[in-house]
Amino acid sequence: MECWGRMLRAFLSGPGRRGATWGSAYSSWQPHRPVPGLLNATELVSHWTAIFEKEGIPEAQESSEYIVAHVLGAKTFQSLRPVLWTQPLTPWQLQCIQELSSCRLQRMPVQYILGEWDFQGLSLKMAPPVFIPRPETEELVEWVLEEVAPRPHAVGAQGGPLILEVGCGSGAISLSLLNQLPQSRVIAVDKGEASICLTRENAQRLRLQDRIWIVPLDVTSEGSWAHLLSWGPMDLVVSNPPYVFHQDMEQLAPEILSYEDPAALDGGEKGMDIITHILALAPRLLKDSGSIFLEVDPRHPELVGGWLQSRPDLSLHLVAVRKDFCGRPRFLHIRRSGPQRGCPVHAWPGPQPARVPG
Amino acid sequence: MSASGFLRFPAPLTRRCMVPWGLWLRERPALLSPGTAVTPAQMAGRKDRPALLSLDESELEEQFVKGHGPGGQATNKTSNCVVLKHIPSGLVVKCHQTRSVDQNRKLARKILQEKVDVFYNGENSLVYKDKREAEKKKQERKKRAKETLEKKKRLKELWESSKNVQGERSADSD
């Protein structure tokens, strides 16, 4: 990614460096250089907002505010100490803002530009092409916490609950659950190597690595999940699986199409491919009355309900549908009912794995 | 957090968002409308003073700048600003303190709660009471500091004058 190269050079070289390596970078953003003179944060935000608007960059003001705030060490512009709004910026700060803004001009998502984003009160590292957590997904975590908190789980040598996350991405869901459920343990799987690495890194940054197992795994791949059984039956399966309808993929914004992994988004023809795989394997991994929590497309509650009815062998039923803060049906709670059919878990051979961090 | 921020958003974005109760389950505020007269004893709060009058969700109008579009995975918006309006009083709060919509919603409610308190209770609002108390403490500290200073000054004067008296005595004794 061209933008990453530029940003890396900016941070390594420091202020004042000129020369051939900067040539191409400079020529593309020289027209946007602010008028020389002492500029403060507020003026810089106005300056870049105007440029973004002119270039058709969505969320012109928000983008500009986040970038300037970030360079000044704050998470949002509003949370900056007011005195900083009117203080002149240093040449180094101006240069950083220039660099980051040029990435925005290439439609890079703000979260990748900043290299971090917040989720459920945690600060997570972000890196393309790993999927950026969406604000709706915070509500998925809230719902899981509500359901789990009142029910004490078997706390023995192992602690609980034991949670499986399918498609962990940056680790947002897993790590926020671990953070708010101090006794919980999580198995986080993803088929993308970049996701595995990023989740590991975020787990270590947040010092949660002792309670999470991060496993490269493609749940759609036949039999690949079988070794998960050796961890024992799980209390919960949580997922924000790729659920975009394939035909809708091309309509996604350039921010998404050009930078995020399409495999994290594309759910196939009716956006159901990964969802149905998760639902098919869940009964074999869950305890009796274990739960599945999913984030889905607003068209899915009906489709999933219908699909579950066509699969009575799974012993799953749709318990509840919950809306997101924009009023769209977004989250499903599905429960497994009754004992497992076929091979019960305790018949599977295999020792409990040693507690290996990460 | 000015009213002009509220006017910035085009009409179609306005929506009356009832907060799903589940979302607030863990810290659900008591439902009281500002018009209800409530004695301090009825309000749960800290031991030393009553809590702020809670906001009635049905009297609030909330906007998230999520815009149109499918939402969820199909969208990547960073505009997590929350604009919250208290309809009976017309007070508006715009909160973009954090990167989380959820957090901003909670903060916006807290800030609006205080503004509503001041609006209806004026001088008697908790905010004003706290301010007066803080100011009072500050004045008391100033007063004490001044008194201490004056004491020191008097002591010094006494000491100076006693020195002079001794000096005169020794001069006399010559």
Side-chain angles (χ1 to χ4, degrees):
Chain A
M1 307 256 165
E2 213 183 287
C3 234
W4 282 105
R6 264 191 243 151
M7 282 165 67
L8 199 62
R9 281 196 293 271
F11 291 123
L12 290 176
S13 65
R17 179 173 152 175
R18 302 283 182 263
T21 42
W22 286 106
S24 62
Y26 254 84
S27 61
S28 70
W29 35 267
Q30 230 161 6
H32 301 306
R33 224 195 286 181
V35 174
L38 296 174
L39 284 176
N40 63 39
T42 309
E43 286 160 344
L44 220 47
V45 166
S46 300
H47 171 81
W48 282 105
T49 301
I51 292 168
F52 291 153
E53 275 171 354
K54 184 159 162 275
E55 301 294 327
I57 308 295
E59 302 196 302
Q61 184 169 340
E62 288 83 354
S63 303
S64 161
E65 283 180 349
Y66 277 121
I67 288 169
V68 173
H70 181 72
V71 169
L72 292 177
K75 291 195 175 187
T76 69
F77 196 70
Q78 196 186 62
S79 69
L80 266 173
R81 282 189 300 127
V83 61
L84 293 177
W85 288 334
T86 47
Q87 239 175 44
L89 298 178
T90 67
W92 172 226
Q93 286 170 329
L94 287 173
Q95 189 168 334
C96 284
I97 291 167
Q98 192 97 18
E99 274 295 304
L100 301 184
S101 299
S102 72
C103 289
R104 188 68 191 113
L105 283 169
Q106 298 201 14
R107 307 297 291 262
M108 185 183 265
V110 166
Q111 298 93 333
Y112 288 154
I113 296 173
L114 305 187
E116 63 170 48
W117 200 242
D118 289 6
F119 186 84
Q120 280 278 326
L122 298 176
S123 214
L124 299 168
K125 179 178 170 183
M126 294 286 126
V130 180
F131 179 80
I132 296 165
R134 307 303 200 238
E136 286 89 341
T137 313
E138 287 191 304
E139 293 187 81
L140 177 66
V141 172
E142 289 281 346
W143 198 12
V144 173
L145 292 170
E146 278 167 34
E147 291 293 315
V148 164
R151 294 179 180 82
H153 286 80
V155 179
Q158 316 262 288
L162 180 60
I163 302 168
L164 171 68
E165 187 193 350
V166 178
C168 53
S170 57
I173 296 174
S174 288
L175 297 172
S176 54
L177 286 172
L178 282 175
N179 184 47
Q180 295 180 74
L181 295 170
Q183 300 301 313
S184 64
R185 293 161 302 141
V186 169
I187 303 158
V189 308
D190 201 290
K191 77 176 194 183
E193 219 185 290
S195 297
I196 297 295
C197 287
L198 190 56
T199 298
R200 230 168 238 159
E201 194 172 342
N202 279 322
Q204 274 158 9
R205 270 156 67 113
L206 297 167
R207 304 198 205 198
L208 294 167
Q209 73 273 27
D210 289 345
R211 291 191 284 131
I212 185 170
W213 287 267
I214 304 164
V215 182
L217 194 133
D218 179 355
V219 294
T220 63
S221 169
E222 189 67 42
S224 61
W225 47 267
H227 77 276
L228 289 175
L229 291 163
S230 56
W231 267 281
M234 287 143 203
D235 297 284
L236 296 174
V237 173
V238 190
S239 184
N240 178 22
Y243 59 69
V244 176
F245 286 48
H246 182 72
Q247 78 226 37
D248 296 337
M249 287 291 292
E250 60 182 7
Q251 278 150 37
L252 300 180
E255 279 80 4
I256 300 173
L257 284 178
S258 303
Y259 293 92
E260 285 187 297
D261 184 0
L265 295 151
D266 194 340
E269 197 195 322
K270 287 211 170 91
M272 289 277 282
D273 289 3
I274 293 87
I275 294 172
T276 51
H277 271 101
I278 294 172
L279 295 175
L281 69 88
R284 287 186 263 193
L285 296 171
L286 282 172
K287 288 178 181 168
D288 296 354
S289 315
S291 283
I292 305 162
F293 288 91
L294 297 175
E295 180 181 317
V296 297
D297 181 277
R299 288 163 284 185
H300 282 148
E302 221 181 292
L303 292 173
V304 168
W307 189 85
L308 286 176
Q309 281 182 340
S310 73
R311 293 291 305 267
D313 59 302
L314 296 175
S315 306
L316 294 174
H317 64 280
L318 183 56
V319 172
V321 178
R322 183 136 147 179
K323 293 185 180 166
D324 62 28
F325 53 73
C326 290
R328 299 185 179 113
R330 182 66 68 186
F331 310 108
L332 305 178
H333 177 190
I334 294 152
R335 196 177 271 143
R336 187 180 169 279
S337 47
Q340 290 193 341
R341 307 230 201 104
C343 288
V345 167
H346 67 253
W348 282 84
Q352 295 288 331
R355 197 166 280 216
V356 178
Chain B
M1 289 168 240
S2 63
S4 61
F6 180 78
L7 296 171
R8 186 160 71 89
F9 304 122
L13 284 178
T14 308
R15 69 166 17 98
R16 188 181 220 129
C17 269
M18 297 296 284
V19 179
W21 287 120
L23 196 66
W24 299 99
L25 205 64
R26 278 178 293 134
E27 27 170 278
R28 195 162 143 177
L31 276 190
L32 297 165
S33 62
T36 316
V38 181
T39 63
Q42 286 179 283
M43 289 188 269
R46 284 163 41 176
K47 277 189 290 193
D48 48 349
R49 60 169 196 186
L52 277 176
L53 220 50
S54 295
L55 297 174
D56 184 347
E57 285 295 332
S58 65
E59 289 179 343
L60 299 180
E61 202 171 84
E62 197 169 22
Q63 284 181 350
F64 321 103
V65 192
K66 297 306 289 170
H68 307 288
Q73 289 175 1
T75 315
N76 180 21
K77 296 284 187 192
T78 58
S79 43
N80 298 321
C81 186
V82 172
V83 180
L84 194 60
K85 182 178 181 183
H86 183 247
I87 302 160
S89 61
L91 293 169
V92 177
V93 163
K94 187 173 152 194
C95 182
H96 198 182
Q97 283 284 320
T98 77
R99 291 170 177 164
S100 158
V101 169
D102 205 40
Q103 278 299 106
N104 289 338
R105 292 179 77 195
K106 289 176 180 160
L107 277 169
R109 275 160 178 77
K110 221 188 241 176
I111 297 165
L112 189 59
Q113 211 177 8
E114 287 180 357
K115 284 198 163 179
V116 166
D117 184 32
V118 171
F119 184 84
Y120 284 108
N121 300 323
E123 289 279 303
N124 293 325
S125 69
L126 215 57
V127 174
Y128 273 63
K129 278 184 181 155
D130 283 349
K131 264 195 196 163
R132 279 201 297 273
E133 216 178 287
E135 188 59 40
K136 193 171 154 197
K137 281 192 178 145
K138 188 178 167 189
Q139 293 302 331
E140 277 172 10
R141 273 200 303 269
K142 265 190 178 172
K143 190 176 164 195
R144 275 199 301 273
K146 192 175 171 191
E147 282 171 0
T148 312
L149 212 63
E150 279 179 9
K151 269 188 199 162
K152 280 188 180 168
K153 199 172 157 192
R154 279 200 296 273
L155 271 168
K156 193 180 176 189
E157 282 172 6
L158 261 171
W159 187 68
E160 291 285 327
S161 66
S162 74
K163 251 179 52 181
N164 291 341
V165 167
Q166 278 183 345
E168 283 169 24
R169 282 215 195 106
S170 32
D172 282 356
S173 64
D174 276 358

